[in-house]
């Protein structure tokens, strides 16, 4: 077992993106990747245990159930790169299967330092694994992983948990195409996608009774306060989950309860909110099982197999670089 982490060079962009997102005309927005600081990552971990939010458990069930089949379809020796590893819990099933076959390198790419540390700790007991974590943006990290690649080694990218859903559809295809550019023909991409479900089920999942998702969303303002010395009054904003039927997504917003002015010194911006005005913080797009084949094709992959969880409609898709 080898564990070492390559530390971050992100951070300075936060102020610039907060400024750009809040100073703009029309719909204010903040990039959803900033939801995942230490507090946010811990809150998401709690969300994944809520009865209303079955996504993460469906993902894990599929990986556990089909780990051997997945591994059989990925030629070895293999380097496994995971984009957004989170806690690493659901990845264990796959890595154990890979490592039963042969020694395997695992490269988690994750912008959250605490999630990366957690994931390395969680998985380091697996026999015949070597782990090198990259505290990086996805594509930047993947480029570095590709540079580490040894001759004859197959690259298998994991993009699980329906993180792809945070992109709108065209941006999702673009992102997958960028991943494809870093890969070689025959390399694999295991893509987890949440599937369409009823509005009521989605609203319950993204606005849970306990208020954990609300706290997860509001933490973004708390983070701006902590890191950029802002004076957001958290009790003056409320969490909102919305269905966007045209985009086939569920959106999270933070709604200003009254007219108010917020100062963010380290982003050099003062922001005015009208009563009822929102900051759009996340979109979670839901896919049909059929469209994933076309999405894969547009990005330069072929979707070879799809496994679907029936309890919480979710698909694990094995894409191969064309
Ligand atoms: C981790 C991006 C898949 O979109 O469902 C959970 C994040 N947001 N509850 C999702 C999330 C609100 C989650 N992803």
């Amino acid at each position: 077992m080898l564990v070492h982490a390559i530390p971050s060079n992100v951070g300075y962009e936060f102020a610039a993106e907060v400024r750009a997102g809040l100073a703009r005309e029309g719909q204010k927005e903040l990039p959803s990747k900033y939801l995942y600081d230490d507090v946010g990552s811990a809150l998401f971990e709690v969300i994944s245990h809520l009865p209303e939010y079955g996504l993460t458990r469906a993902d894990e069930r599929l990986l556990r159930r089909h780990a051997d089949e997945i591994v059989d379809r990925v030629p070895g020796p293999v380097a496994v790169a995971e984009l957004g590893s989170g806690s690493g819990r659901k990845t264990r099933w796959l890595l154990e299967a890979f490592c039963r076959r042969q020694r395997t390198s695992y490269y988690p790419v994750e912008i959250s330092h605490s999630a990366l540390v957690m994931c390395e700790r969680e998985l380091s007991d697996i026999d015949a694994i070597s782990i090198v974590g990259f505290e990086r943006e996805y594509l930047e990290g993947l480029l570095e992983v590709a540079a580490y690649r040894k001759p004859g080694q197959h690259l298998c990218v994991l993009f699980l948990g329906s993180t792809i859903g945070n992109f709108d559809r065209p941006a999702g295809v673009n992102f997958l195409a960028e991943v494809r550019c870093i890969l070689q023909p025959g390399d694999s991409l295991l893509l987890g996608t949440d599937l369409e479900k009823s509005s009521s089920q989605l609203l319950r999942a993204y606005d849970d009774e306990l208020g954990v998702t609300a706290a997860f969303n509001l933490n973004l303002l708390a983070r701006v306060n902590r890191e950029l010395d802002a004076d957001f009054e958290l009790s003056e904003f409320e969490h909102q989950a919305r269905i966007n039927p045209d985009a086939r997504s569920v959106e999270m917003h933070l709604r200003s309860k009254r007219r108010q002015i917020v100062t963010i010194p380290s982003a050099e911006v003062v922001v005015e909110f009208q009563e009822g005005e929102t900051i759009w913080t996340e979109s979670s797009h839901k896919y049909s099982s059929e469209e994933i084949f076309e999405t894969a094709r547009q990005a330069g992959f072929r979707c070879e197999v799809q496994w679907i969880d029936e309890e919480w409609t979710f698909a694990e898709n094995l894409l191969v670089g064309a």
Side-chain angles (χ1 to χ4, degrees):
M1 188 276 288
L2 165 73
V3 178
H4 88 261
I6 295 175
S8 171
N9 55 9
V10 297
Y12 60 91
E13 290 158 27
F14 184 44
E17 293 202 71
V18 166
R19 183 192 162 97
L22 296 184
R24 66 205 299 270
E25 292 287 315
Q27 176 68 63
K28 294 178 169 60
E29 56 184 295
L30 288 171
S32 60
K33 65 181 176 186
Y34 293 118
L35 290 164
Y36 302 90
D37 66 346
D38 289 1
V39 176
S41 296
L43 286 168
F44 177 69
E45 179 65 22
V46 177
I47 291 173
S48 72
H49 293 280
L50 296 173
E52 300 99 315
Y53 187 84
L55 188 155
T56 311
R57 292 186 300 279
D59 196 13
E60 189 181 351
R61 262 194 307 277
L62 286 166
L63 294 174
R64 191 178 54 209
R65 228 172 252 163
H66 303 291
D68 288 324
E69 259 175 282
I70 295 168
V71 166
D72 281 346
R73 289 178 171 272
V74 177
V78 69
V80 178
E82 180 166 19
L83 310 181
S85 60
S87 72
R89 192 179 55 239
K90 63 189 177 205
T91 315
R92 161 174 293 276
W93 308 105
L94 268 182
L95 291 174
E96 283 182 346
F98 275 121
C99 291
R100 270 196 299 275
R101 180 174 72 183
Q102 149 181 69
R103 169 160 284 280
T104 298
S105 313
Y106 173 55
Y107 302 108
V109 178
E110 172 62 68
I111 45 169
S112 161
H113 177 77
S114 65
L116 195 57
V117 169
M118 235 205 299
C119 147
E120 288 169 337
R121 199 177 297 144
E122 165 82 21
L123 299 169
S124 61
D125 68 304
I126 299 175
D127 282 334
I129 196 169
S130 65
I131 306 180
V132 179
F134 290 86
E135 198 174 318
R136 289 282 191 278
E137 300 275 337
Y138 296 150
L139 294 172
E140 218 181 298
L142 187 57
L143 271 169
E144 289 186 59
V145 170
Y148 263 59
R149 170 181 204 159
K150 299 177 193 76
Q153 207 174 31
H154 192 88
L155 201 53
C156 175
V157 177
L158 310 179
F159 195 33
L160 306 174
S162 203
T163 306
I164 182 83
N166 289 160
F167 296 109
D168 63 31
R169 283 176 161 75
V173 171
N174 264 332
F175 180 79
L176 295 180
E178 297 212 51
V179 169
R180 175 62 191 86
C181 282
I182 301 172
L183 303 184
Q184 292 171 7
D187 281 342
S188 322
L189 169 63
L190 187 66
L191 178 69
T193 48
D194 200 20
L195 302 181
E196 291 171 302
K197 36 190 70 64
S198 74
S199 298
S200 61
Q201 191 178 1
L202 286 175
L203 289 174
R204 264 180 280 128
Y206 288 86
D207 192 5
D208 64 276
E209 257 197 300
L210 259 181
V212 186
T213 309
F216 173 65
N217 198 5
L218 281 161
N219 174 57
L220 189 45
L221 301 184
R223 178 179 185 178
V224 176
N225 285 349
R226 286 191 293 271
E227 296 182 21
L228 303 175
D229 295 317
D231 58 0
F232 275 106
E233 199 71 68
L234 265 52
S235 61
E236 301 292 355
F237 287 85
E238 64 191 3
H239 167 68
Q240 199 180 59
R242 281 188 204 168
I243 302 295
N244 183 333
D246 298 323
R248 287 185 284 147
S249 66
V250 48
E251 298 177 354
M252 295 204 308
H253 289 255
L254 290 161
R255 180 184 177 280
S256 175
K257 293 182 185 171
R258 62 193 94 254
R259 198 196 148 265
Q260 55 184 316
I261 287 168
V262 176
T263 307
I264 314 175
S266 301
E268 295 178 319
V269 67
V270 176
V271 188
E272 184 181 349
F273 291 91
Q274 302 305 321
E275 182 181 336
E277 188 177 1
T278 71
I279 309 172
W280 177 22
T281 53
E282 185 185 59
S283 288
S284 213
H285 290 77
K286 305 303 170 188
Y287 283 84
S288 74
S289 57
E290 301 81 27
E291 78 179 301
I292 296 161
F293 292 85
E294 180 56 18
T295 300
R297 205 193 51 76
Q298 287 172 347
F301 289 96
R302 196 175 58 251
C303 181
E304 287 213 326
V305 203
Q306 186 174 67
W307 295 272
I308 294 177
D309 189 80
E310 297 299 340
E311 196 177 320
W312 176 280
T313 58
F314 186 97
E316 222 68 80
N317 311 277
L318 185 65
L319 277 48
V320 176

